[in-house]
Amino acid sequence: MVDFFYIHSHLSLGWYMYDAEYRDIITKHSWRADKDGYARTNCPYHTYGRGKTITLHQFVWNLKNHRDPYSKDYQANDMVIDHIDMLKWNNCQWNLRVLARNINAGKITKYCGSYWHKTKRRWVAQIRWKRKSRHLGYFDTELESAHAYNQFIIDKRLNRALNNFPEE
């Protein structure tokens, strides 16, 4: 079961979705939209100090995992809470996961050596070989990028365990 609340501010406005089981604790807070479009609230001053805030998706993640709702200790390990469907307003617990910050920076891919290049809006194949990063090209699809990575592994006779398509 999900629930919604509406935020109207000069930065952003819209509906935010969260799990209804957390309604009591979420509605006790005053939420606002930040400049990036995330719902955000202040942490209790007496415990966390002045000016500390937390986003709704961080808050829900902590509640789901039975932790202090205002905790951000996963950030010390360079981890972030990510929306699986990439929708900032969908803060349901099934839509949240912890990812390394560098993985979250690009589009997630299921293939090794392939990632989405935001500015070029194309898939990139890349491999680390002999202590250097080797650019293998830009591609229109994720699959083409993965095949280019595989071809490099086969051509250089590298470890087959890294192969995206071992059956080929």
Side-chain angles (χ1 to χ4, degrees), residues 64-78:
K64 171 190 168 191
N65 292 293
H66 310 290
R67 302 168 64 184
D68 173 13
Y70 306 100
S71 171
K72 294 184 182 181
D73 60 356
Y74 50 83
Q75 290 180 339
N77 298 326
D78 212 24

Side-chain angles (χ1 to χ4, degrees), residues 77-119:
N77 298 326
D78 212 24
M79 305 296 276
V80 294
I81 307 297
D82 176 54
H83 294 86
I84 295 170
D85 63 7
M86 298 183 190
L87 299 174
K88 296 176 184 180
W89 54 266
N90 186 353
N91 296 286
C92 293
Q93 59 185 356
W94 53 264
N95 188 44
L96 302 174
R97 62 182 169 191
V98 175
L99 285 178
R101 189 176 305 278
N102 62 344
I103 293 174
N104 191 42
K107 188 168 181 180
I108 307 305
T109 178
K110 57 187 170 189
Y111 299 112
C112 190
S114 179
Y115 71 93
W116 178 253
H117 194 288
K118 281 185 181 180
T119 55

Side-chain angles (χ1 to χ4, degrees), residues 2 6 32 34 44 53-54 75 84 113 116-117 130 140 152:
V2 297
Y6 186 76
R32 66 187 182 285
D34 65 12
T53 63
I54 191 162
Q75 290 180 339
I84 295 170
W116 178 253
H117 194 288
K130 293 188 178 180
D140 293 327
F152 185 88

